[in-house]
Amino acid sequence: MAVGDRIAACFGIDAARALVIRPLREAKLSVVHLDHVYGDAEHPVFLPADDAFLVMLYLVDVDHRDSPDQTVAALKTYPKGSVCLISLRYGAAISISGHFEALAFHIPSSQFAELAEEAGEPRVDDLATCRGIDDQVIRNIGGALMPMFDMPDEVRDQLLPHIGLALSAHLAHRYGRSPAQRLSASGRLSPMQEKRIKAYMVANLSANVTVDQIADATGFSVDELRSGFLNTTGQSVAEWMSAYRMTRAKSQLSRTGDTIAQVAATCGFADEDAFIDTFSKTVGTAPAEWRAH
């Protein structure tokens, strides 16, 4: 049975539209459009153990609990546009009620091995579990995929590998967890380690991640991350992040029509006032004035 049919069957759906994507070599990503009304009674969903990850992009407000046992987990509403990301290593179980519509992305672990080997991306061993998060990149990818269910095969097949590769890289950069890392004898990062650390920071810029979170994601102790990054780049992690935020903010101000508040949020500033204050002190003029010139 195809992966898309198996996922649909787990949700009690007889038939669902599915896309199969092969971004690089052998690993295949499946995207399944799930749409069903379960009524008031909760419907249990059991997903079997699989060496893969499942990303759910909710297309409507969805009510479900993360266990079919109603005494264990509380019923929670996941708003339209939110995302859940889980590992299927040990399987998963939820219960759903009401109208359920989502895009389910099934990504085998082998896809991330191919990404490291073929595309020169740093290795990741796991992805962070997330529930009900806001991820604009996944929302945009979902929006791009929806029309493709109805496209002719020859058109769709040209576009899908690029979208699948973009999704895989985004998941690896933002949610990837690297195996344990050590510094070289010189106390410096290898080029791949440096790339992994910077990729994670850039992908999580708006989240304003801490050094502890960066270290945990990239496989270093906090002390080794700090010393290795400084020895390699000549900047502390905080200094590099501050400089990158300013570069990103300038780019966004010059290339987009985003409001000052939107730029502040995207670049990881606490709020619009904090962004204006930092930008003005660093550049010598306020963001709006800098943009006008």
Side-chain angles (χ1 to χ4, degrees):
M1 183 184 292
V3 171
D5 293 333
R6 292 204 310 267
I7 292 174
C10 291
F11 283 83
I13 300 173
D14 293 333
R17 302 188 299 171
L19 300 171
V20 178
I21 308 173
R22 184 182 290 173
L24 290 168
R25 292 188 308 187
E26 300 302 318
K28 296 178 182 179
L29 283 63
S30 296
V31 186
V32 191
H33 180 206
L34 303 171
D35 190 0
H36 194 72
V37 177
Y38 294 98
D40 295 332
E42 293 190 25
H43 177 84
V45 174
F46 297 95
L47 296 161
D50 191 1
D51 188 17
F53 300 91
L54 188 71
V55 177
M56 302 293 293
L57 170 62
Y58 297 114
L59 303 179
V60 296
D61 291 350
V62 169
D63 293 327
H64 77 69
R65 67 180 84 241
D66 294 327
S67 167
D69 184 346
Q70 298 183 22
T71 64
V72 174
L75 188 68
K76 182 176 178 180
T77 298
Y78 294 87
K80 176 182 178 180
S82 65
V83 172
C84 286
L85 164 59
I86 61 169
S87 169
L88 294 177
R89 183 175 301 168
Y90 304 108
I94 62 174
S95 60
I96 309 172
S97 62
H99 182 199
F100 180 89
E101 185 178 8
L103 283 183
F105 299 82
H106 178 276
I107 304 103
S109 298
S110 57
Q111 172 60 29
F112 297 105
E114 288 186 10
L115 194 67
E117 294 169 8
E118 296 289 316
E121 293 289 349
R123 178 183 164 196
V124 299
D125 277 0
D126 199 4
L127 300 181
T129 297
C130 304
R131 291 186 172 88
I133 62 168
D134 178 44
D135 188 316
Q136 185 176 351
V137 172
I138 294 178
R139 282 205 314 274
N140 291 343
I141 288 174
L145 287 171
M146 284 300 290
M148 293 190 185
F149 287 100
D150 301 312
M151 282 185 180
D153 290 348
E154 61 271 17
V155 177
R156 183 173 61 198
D157 291 347
Q158 290 180 355
L159 299 173
L160 284 178
H162 302 290
I163 295 176
L165 190 58
L167 173 65
S168 302
H170 172 69
L171 293 173
H173 290 165
R174 182 161 184 177
Y175 306 105
R177 292 294 182 265
S178 293
Q181 302 288 311
R182 296 305 302 268
L183 298 175
S184 66
S186 66
R188 295 166 63 90
L189 302 169
S190 71
M192 191 59 76
Q193 289 171 334
E194 181 182 356
K195 179 180 179 181
R196 173 74 183 104
I197 293 166
K198 289 180 176 177
Y200 180 80
M201 291 193 290
V202 169
N204 291 277
L205 191 65
S206 62
N208 203 12
V209 290
T210 65
V211 174
D212 287 46
Q213 289 171 311
I214 298 166
D216 178 60
T218 56
F220 285 96
S221 70
V222 172
D223 289 342
E224 285 202 329
L225 171 66
R226 283 184 169 136
S227 64
F229 196 87
L230 180 62
N231 290 339
T232 305
T233 67
Q235 294 177 296
S236 68
V237 171
E239 288 169 341
W240 189 91
M241 285 285 280
S242 295
Y244 184 83
R245 278 199 177 91
M246 203 54 57
T247 300
R248 178 77 169 267
K250 288 179 179 178
S251 175
Q252 201 168 337
L253 287 168
S254 62
R255 293 187 302 103
T256 73
D258 291 349
T259 65
I260 302 301
Q262 289 171 326
V263 175
T266 302
C267 295
F269 290 91
D271 52 39
E272 183 177 356
D273 289 340
F275 171 52
I276 293 172
D277 182 59
T278 303
F279 191 96
S280 300
K281 289 178 179 177
T282 304
V283 180
T285 184
E289 295 171 358
W290 186 90
R291 169 184 265 171
H293 290 88

